[in-house]
C-alpha cells in the first residue's frame, strides 16, 4: 500500500489469485440449502439467517476441497492446457500458502457449521468426507461419479433442512434426486 491507502497492482493480483483459488463461482450450487426455506414458505429472519449460515458453511467447505483437489492434482494440472492457469498450478498461489489458506477456511467452516447444531455439523462433515473421497478416488469412475455427485447435491438440501429445522418431504428428496 502506498501512503494514501491504495493497494498496489501486485497486491490486487495476489488477492485476486487467492479468491480465484477458492472458486466462489462454484458456490452457486450451495444455494440449494435455501430450498427447504422456499418450499416451506418460511421467510422469517431466523430462517433466512440460518439458511445464509448454511450457505456460508457449505461454500467454505467446498473451497477447502477445491484447494485440496488442486494440490492433489498439481502435477497433472501444470501439464493441462486449461488447468495450468489455475492459481496454484501457475504458481500465483504457493503450495504452502494454499495449504495454510485451506486450514484457516476449514476452521472457519467448522465454527460456522457448529452454530447450526450437531445434526447440521454431521451432514456437512459427511459432505466434506464424501467430496474428499470423490476428488481423490471416484471422479474418474463412470456412473459412480454421477451417484456421488447426486448425493452431494442432496446433502445440500438435507443440510438446509437441518439448519432451519424444516422437515423435508420424501417427495422433494425423490424429485431432487431424480433431477440431479
Amino acid at each position: 500500500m502506498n501512503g494514501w491507502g491504495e493497494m498496489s497492482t501486485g497486491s490486487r493480483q495476489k488477492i485476486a489469485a487467492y479468491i480465484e483459488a477458492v472458486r466462489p463461482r462454484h458456490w452457486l450450487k450451495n444455494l440449494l440449502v435455501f430450498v427447504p426455506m422456499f418450499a416451506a414458505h418460511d421467510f422469517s429472519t431466523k430462517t433466512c439467517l440460518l439458511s445464509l449460515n448454511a450457505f456460508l458453511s457449505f461454500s467454505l467447505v467446498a473451497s477447502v476441497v477445491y484447494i485440496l483437489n488442486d494440490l492433489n492434482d498439481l502435477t497433472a494440472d501444470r501439464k493441462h492446457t486449461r488447468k495450468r492457469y489455475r492459481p496454484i498450478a501457475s504458481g500465483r498461489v504457493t503450495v504452502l500458502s494454499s495449504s495454510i489458506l485451506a486450514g484457516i477456511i476449514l476452521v472457519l467452516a467448522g465454527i460456522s457449521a457448529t452454530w447450526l447444531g450437531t445434526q447440521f455439523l454431521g451432514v456437512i462433515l459427511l459432505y466434506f468426507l464424501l467430496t474428499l473421497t470423490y476428488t481423490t478416488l471416484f471422479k474418474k469412475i463412470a456412473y459412480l461419479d454421477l451417484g456421488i455427485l447426486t448425493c452431494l447435491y442432496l446433502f445440500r438440501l438435507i443440510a438446509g433442512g437441518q439448519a432451519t429445522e424444516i422437515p423435508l418431504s420424501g417427495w422433494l428428496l425423490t424429485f431432487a434426486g431424480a433431477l440431479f
Side-chain angles (χ1 to χ4, degrees), residues 82-134:
R82 234 182 32 257
K83 294 179 182 180
R84 69 177 176 212
Y85 298 110
R86 287 181 176 172
I88 299 169
S90 69
R92 290 181 290 140
V93 175
T94 67
V95 170
L96 176 61
S97 61
S98 60
S99 300
I100 292 169
L101 179 62
I104 291 168
I105 294 172
L106 187 59
V107 168
L108 293 174
I111 292 168
S112 177
T114 301
W115 288 338
L116 294 169
T118 56
Q119 289 183 332
F120 178 86
L121 189 59
V123 171
I124 202 164
L125 181 60
L126 283 173
Y127 170 86
F128 178 66
L129 294 173
L130 188 56
T131 55
L132 279 180
T133 305
Y134 171 77

Side-chain angles (χ1 to χ4, degrees), residues 20-180:
E20 186 182 343
V22 299
R23 301 186 197 171
R25 67 186 181 280
H26 291 289
W27 293 355
L28 288 174
K29 296 176 263 196
N30 300 323
L31 291 172
L32 288 169
V33 300
F34 290 97
V35 168
M37 177 182 80
F38 281 98
H41 303 284
D42 181 352
F43 304 108
S44 66
T45 301
K46 178 184 175 187
T47 301
C48 289
L49 290 174
L50 291 170
S51 295
L52 190 60
N53 191 7
F55 174 81
L56 175 65
S57 297
F58 264 85
S59 297
L60 292 172
V61 165
S63 289
V64 170
V65 174
Y66 294 138
I67 292 170
L68 295 176
N69 179 61
D70 286 352
L71 290 170
N72 186 56
D73 296 345
L74 186 59
T75 303
D77 285 356
R78 285 184 172 158
K79 296 175 186 175
H80 193 274
T81 56
R82 234 182 32 257
K83 294 179 182 180
R84 69 177 176 212
Y85 298 110
R86 287 181 176 172
I88 299 169
S90 69
R92 290 181 290 140
V93 175
T94 67
V95 170
L96 176 61
S97 61
S98 60
S99 300
I100 292 169
L101 179 62
I104 291 168
I105 294 172
L106 187 59
V107 168
L108 293 174
I111 292 168
S112 177
T114 301
W115 288 338
L116 294 169
T118 56
Q119 289 183 332
F120 178 86
L121 189 59
V123 171
I124 202 164
L125 181 60
L126 283 173
Y127 170 86
F128 178 66
L129 294 173
L130 188 56
T131 55
L132 279 180
T133 305
Y134 171 77
T135 60
T136 57
L137 299 173
F138 299 130
K139 68 181 172 185
K140 294 183 180 175
I141 301 173
Y143 301 112
L144 181 59
D145 69 328
L146 292 174
I148 292 172
L149 290 174
T150 297
C151 288
L152 294 174
Y153 283 111
L154 286 172
F155 276 14
R156 291 172 174 98
L157 285 177
I158 293 166
Q162 292 295 327
T164 58
E165 298 180 353
I166 295 173
L168 302 177
S169 71
W171 181 90
L172 176 62
L173 291 172
T174 302
F175 174 78
L179 183 67
F180 300 147

Side-chain angles (χ1 to χ4, degrees), residues 6-25:
E6 293 178 11
M7 198 178 304
S8 70
T9 301
S11 296
R12 282 193 304 269
Q13 290 172 340
K14 193 70 164 171
I15 290 169
Y18 280 98
I19 291 170
E20 186 182 343
V22 299
R23 301 186 197 171
R25 67 186 181 280

